[in-house]
Amino acid sequence: MAKSDYNAYENAQAQFDKVAEYLKLDSGMREFLRQPMKELHFTIPVKMDNGTTKVFKAYRSRHNDARGPAKGGLRFHPDETADDVRALSMWMTWKCATVDIPLGGGKGGIVCDPRTMSLAEQERMCRGYVRGLFKEVGPNSDVPAPDVMSNNQHMLWMLDEYETIAGARYPGMITGKPVGMGGSLGRTEATGYGVIYTLKAYAAAEKINLAKTTASIQGFGNVAEYAARMYSELGGTIKCVSCWDAADNKAYTFKKEDGCNIAELVSIKDTFGSIDKTKAQKLGYQIIDGDAWLKEEVDILIPSALGNQITPKNVADISKKVKIICEGANGPTTPDADPLLQKRGIFMIPDFLCNAGGVTCSYFEQVQCNMNYFWDKQEVLNKLEYAMTKAFTAVHELAKEKKLYMRDAAYVIAINRVAEAVKKRGWV
């Protein structure tokens, strides 16, 4: 199947079903956990700058909140679907449970392209989203955050709209806010750094010298950028970066055999993670096909863009040198590709463990907002590394003990924790 033929929600359910069978969950629990508890579909009419009104489709899914308020980002994307949001809310439940923070899984989306909208139009859309969801979100029920093509300014507009309607201050109702306006230091770096914290933990467990490794990264948005920065700081060499070019509507791979200079690439990228091709060429980068990142002769692949990027169709393209895949994106590997990667002996750090640094730091932001006391950046990052390393170690040890694939081991821990909370509440 082509990448576009895969349905994220069906993938998420297939992954769940496999582990539910292994755990021998009863039928009621399986049915309850394999779908969202609640979801909303609504529309947002927005007055555009030219005087016309455009209506945007919007979604919010709450998969499970047995362990705490739902938590999950808000995606702005022209191809966003209800099934994408359902899947992502499900993965958020497992993500929060894997790193053992007291939150459940939620997710939101608006079918839009902010790259083609003015700031005023984006603000009106953000405020409309909150008006449509006011009774469903809040610090003790469902807490949104930034995701693909949404940012801290969008979150602040949403917070302001919520507080205007509520007539009081509720800084913990949304995370990913600007620092100084309820945001946490370290949140910008958190997801990307979390990816490398798990890689560091694996390297320490297996006595791998990361300074002697090479990597290829897909994506150059927030997650990929900070994963690349930290990996480079640890001495690793990034041979290529692949990212989407909105103007050409296609992806390109930017390659330097002796290693990419990440600060240099950051200086020539836009706010959506697209690298300027003309400037990159002047800096000596080779610009090749967008899928070339997957075929590079490297030790580590870090997919940090969108889902369904590694499939049975292209697993054979992965170099025999690759030994580790760190899933910085959500759902970058399809369920039918996992057995092929496992057979090849590629070590997988699965998405809802690998990229859980973002939601972990969002939890820290909530805690700081609720007590109105903010930590310095190093304290945040120290707490983040501790949480990510602890979670990785638990999954890795279970995988070795039970001879499980890492994704399955992470699911076993997460599903057991959520199922236990559901049982204790008497829901099932």
Side-chain angles (χ1 to χ4, degrees), residues 229-392:
R229 284 179 183 272
M230 176 166 276
Y231 176 73
S232 298
E233 287 165 8
L234 293 172
T237 300
I238 295 168
K239 291 181 70 174
C240 66
V241 171
S242 173
C243 64
W244 190 257
D245 188 289
D248 292 350
N249 199 33
K250 63 179 290 188
Y252 294 97
T253 295
F254 297 80
K255 178 180 177 180
K256 260 193 183 177
E257 195 62 39
D258 59 350
C260 299
N261 182 321
I262 299 307
E264 187 176 70
L265 286 177
V266 169
S267 73
I268 58 170
K269 78 165 189 170
D270 65 20
T271 56
F272 298 105
S274 295
I275 296 170
D276 187 304
K277 297 192 297 298
T278 303
K279 291 180 180 177
Q281 283 180 318
K282 288 179 180 177
L283 291 169
Y285 287 86
Q286 183 183 358
I287 302 175
I288 48 182
D289 178 73
D291 289 333
W293 72 278
L294 193 73
K295 306 169 187 176
E296 275 299 307
E297 293 283 329
V298 293
D299 304 299
I300 304 163
L301 294 180
I302 308 178
S304 301
L306 297 174
N308 303 328
Q309 300 303 299
I310 301 175
T311 73
K313 191 174 180 180
N314 62 17
V315 164
D317 293 335
I318 297 174
S319 164
K320 288 182 171 58
K321 188 180 180 185
V322 171
K323 299 301 179 189
I324 306 167
I325 294 178
C326 303
E327 293 188 321
N330 289 307
T333 306
T334 60
D336 50 1
D338 272 334
L340 303 177
L341 297 172
Q342 187 176 8
K343 187 176 180 181
R344 283 187 50 175
I346 295 175
F347 185 80
M348 170 69 70
I349 306 181
D351 51 359
F352 62 93
L353 166 62
C354 190
N355 66 35
V359 72
T360 303
C361 200
S362 280
Y363 167 61
F364 294 162
E365 182 177 327
Q366 268 189 289
V367 171
Q368 292 170 82
C369 283
N370 291 341
M371 64 183 179
N372 201 25
Y373 177 79
F374 290 81
W375 309 326
D376 65 33
K377 187 173 183 177
Q378 196 54 53
E379 183 174 0
V380 173
L381 295 178
N382 288 345
K383 290 178 187 295
L384 178 63
E385 183 167 14
Y386 173 79
M388 295 299 294
T389 303
K390 180 181 176 184
F392 173 85

Side-chain angles (χ1 to χ4, degrees), residues 168-190:
R169 293 284 176 258
Y170 292 97
M173 70 76 50
I174 202 163
T175 60
K177 304 181 293 295
V179 172
M181 296 296 293
S184 174
L185 291 166
R187 178 61 185 88
T188 301
E189 301 90 340

Side-chain angles (χ1 to χ4, degrees), residues 193-202 230 381 384-385 388-389:
Y193 277 14
V195 170
I196 306 305
Y197 287 148
T198 61
L199 176 61
K200 268 180 69 178
Y202 177 62
M230 176 166 276
L381 295 178
L384 178 63
E385 183 167 14
M388 295 299 294
T389 303

Side-chain angles (χ1 to χ4, degrees), residues 130-171:
V130 171
R131 288 195 296 273
L133 276 182
F134 177 74
K135 293 181 180 179
E136 301 297 333
V137 295
N140 298 311
S141 54
D142 188 350
V143 183
D147 203 299
V148 174
M149 289 203 284
S150 60
N151 58 40
N152 60 12
Q153 177 61 75
H154 298 132
M155 299 306 106
L156 190 56
W157 284 328
M158 290 186 183
L159 173 65
D160 184 70
E161 187 68 19
Y162 185 90
E163 292 182 335
T164 298
I165 296 169
R169 293 284 176 258
Y170 292 97

